[in-house]
Amino acid sequence: MSVQAPQRRLTAPDIRARKGGEPIVMLTSYHAHTARILDQHCDVILVGDSLGMVMHGMESTLPVTLDMMILQGRAVMRGSQRALVVVDMPFGSYEASKEQAFLSAARVLKETGCGAIKVEGGRRMAETIAFLVERGVPVMAHVGLTPQAINALGGFRAQGRDPADWGPFEEDARAVAEAGAFSVVLEAMAEPLAARLTRDIDIPTIGIGASPTCDGQVLVLEDMLGLSPRVPKFVKRYTDLGPSIGQAVAEYAREVRSRAFPGPEHVYPLKKNV
Ligand code: KIV
């Protein structure tokens, strides 16, 4: 009898070791059922705070709470076996101090069982990232367009389109790498800038609207499936599930209204001897 070895989950060091190697495949998921599908194809599943906008119809990610992240993080861990699961730290849960960041990150790791957390911010987060990493918390960083800073940035706009502005982005990427982040998301960034950062820093870059030369790519699952009403310009829709769901629901509604549902083959008959 052969006994199958349990599947080993990818870890933050496994992803860190992919710098310059096989591209890292990452998508977001907030549910056990989508996590189960993604797990067969993705190296990293991100429980992004985009769940506030995608699942809850919020205008931004700012209202998302730590409890919301933990609830969905647990669901994704239940649905997956192989991918590294990274949970986003929501706005207000880590910026006040490195101690606050550690307490929030510890809750996320303990209560979800995930393998890493993600924080937004470059130089301003470097000290916190080093503090977390020294205490055993693997950190993915996120620079460029950082949606939690939407009010300060003035909108969801591409970053670094003028080479004269590149300095701070380069400093941000270098700072998080030196602080010990195991990878960094580059969001909505001019392509040559993202390509340059990918060349210049020694941790994997994961692009979203950045550059095909990044060490990996991430998208919001619902955006690439055609389920989001508004998507950023850079998103490729791989399918268009919205209209198919609409058609299925319309057919169901027609059947219910015409009493054609459930069909006779779905109705339990009485037992013969009752
Ligand atoms: O919250 C999220 O989904 C993200 C990705 C867009 C990188 O941070």
Side-chain angles (χ1 to χ4, degrees):
M1 190 181 81
S2 74
V3 180
Q4 244 184 336
Q7 190 145 37
R8 187 179 86 79
R9 251 188 212 280
L10 291 172
T11 63
D14 293 330
I15 299 302
R16 167 74 184 77
R18 297 266 288 269
K19 177 69 190 177
E22 190 196 344
I24 298 157
V25 181
M26 173 162 145
L27 279 172
T28 62
S29 164
Y30 323 120
H31 322 99
H33 62 277
T34 52
R36 203 164 287 125
I37 298 168
L38 266 53
D39 199 44
Q40 298 167 40
H41 308 280
C42 292
D43 304 303
V44 183
I45 300 179
L46 173 67
V47 186
D49 62 351
S50 51
L51 66 80
M53 299 170 80
V54 175
M55 283 180 72
H56 296 277
M58 294 166 175
E59 279 300 310
S60 76
T61 57
L62 297 189
V64 173
T65 65
L66 200 56
D67 287 336
M68 288 163 79
M69 297 308 303
I70 289 172
L71 191 65
Q72 304 318 136
R74 274 199 204 127
V76 169
M77 284 299 292
R78 267 184 230 117
S80 62
Q81 288 186 298
R82 177 191 164 270
L84 170 66
V85 174
V86 178
V87 175
D88 248 342
M89 301 289 286
F91 180 67
S93 71
Y94 63 98
E95 304 91 330
S97 67
K98 44 196 200 306
E99 289 78 10
Q100 182 210 23
F102 179 76
L103 292 175
S104 299
R107 264 199 73 195
V108 170
L109 293 186
K110 276 174 191 274
E111 295 181 34
T112 68
C114 73
I117 56 103
K118 176 164 84 58
V119 297
E120 293 186 8
R123 284 156 293 164
R124 68 183 166 84
M125 288 310 300
E127 201 185 331
T128 296
I129 293 173
F131 188 83
L132 294 176
V133 172
E134 278 161 20
R135 283 156 184 77
V137 180
V139 180
M140 177 179 279
H142 183 154
V143 302
L145 173 66
T146 46
Q148 292 174 10
I150 186 72
N151 291 322
L153 292 171
F156 293 101
R157 261 185 234 111
Q159 307 289 299
R161 296 186 75 177
D162 181 349
D165 299 336
W166 285 5
F169 296 106
E170 291 174 330
E171 287 169 31
D172 279 344
R174 233 174 276 126
V176 298
E178 281 165 14
F182 71 92
S183 60
V184 57
V185 170
L186 309 180
E187 178 163 356
M189 193 177 265
E191 196 282 331
L193 172 58
R196 183 176 174 134
L197 299 183
T198 300
R199 269 196 311 275
D200 287 355
I201 62 172
D202 66 357
I203 58 172
T205 58
I206 304 191
I208 171 162
S211 167
T213 66
C214 287
D215 298 294
Q217 301 293 332
V218 59
L219 283 176
V220 170
L221 179 67
E222 283 76 357
D223 290 355
M224 56 94 87
L225 295 182
L227 284 171
S228 302
R230 280 173 301 158
V231 295
K233 235 180 24 206
F234 57 77
V235 171
K236 175 177 171 186
R237 284 193 169 174
Y238 286 79
T239 183
D240 204 8
L241 291 188
S244 318
I245 294 176
Q247 271 168 21
V249 173
E251 189 181 331
Y252 166 75
R254 251 192 325 272
E255 287 190 1
V256 170
R257 290 197 179 107
S258 64
R259 300 197 189 282
F261 175 87
E265 67 277 19
H266 296 118
V267 175
Y268 294 115
L270 282 180
K271 281 184 181 164
K272 288 238 166 45
N273 56 356
V274 176

